[in-house]
Amino acid sequence: ERVRSAALLSDGASRLTDLFGLATWRQLLDLLAHDGPQELIARVRAAEHDDPYGTRWPRHKTHDDATAAFWTFTRPYRP
């Protein structure tokens, strides 16, 4: 009953939080709620662009696919 939103993210979209540490999970959800998936992906791409060789954030490739879906639940689920 307490869940009000949810996100489905590819590993490329979740990089902002789990690899780059530039946002908490709460901040990522707030970003999705207020600015949408396109802003999340823009921020991921900006971070990747700022570290193209993986010096700050080691990774196998500079860019990864980035997909994000976000849902807001307007009422609690009732089976």
Side-chain angles (χ1 to χ4, degrees):
E1 287 184 6
R2 294 175 40 196
V3 174
R4 298 288 178 239
S5 63
L8 180 63
L9 308 169
S10 69
D11 60 342
S14 69
R15 282 180 163 197
L16 191 72
T17 296
D18 63 10
L19 179 63
F20 302 146
L22 297 174
T24 64
W25 289 109
R26 175 79 260 161
Q27 290 169 330
L28 185 142
L29 287 172
D30 289 344
L31 175 66
L32 287 168
H34 296 286
D35 300 311
Q38 66 279 6
E39 181 59 25
L40 167 61
I41 293 169
R43 291 186 188 192
V44 168
R45 295 296 182 234
E48 291 170 337
H49 178 75
D50 288 345
D51 183 37
Y53 303 109
T55 306
R56 181 173 178 191
W57 300 296
R59 54 198 188 274
H60 296 292
K61 51 187 171 180
T62 302
H63 302 289
D64 198 357
D65 67 302
T67 303
F70 181 74
W71 294 268
T72 300
F73 306 114
T74 56
R75 54 188 164 177
Y77 171 72
R78 303 274 189 231

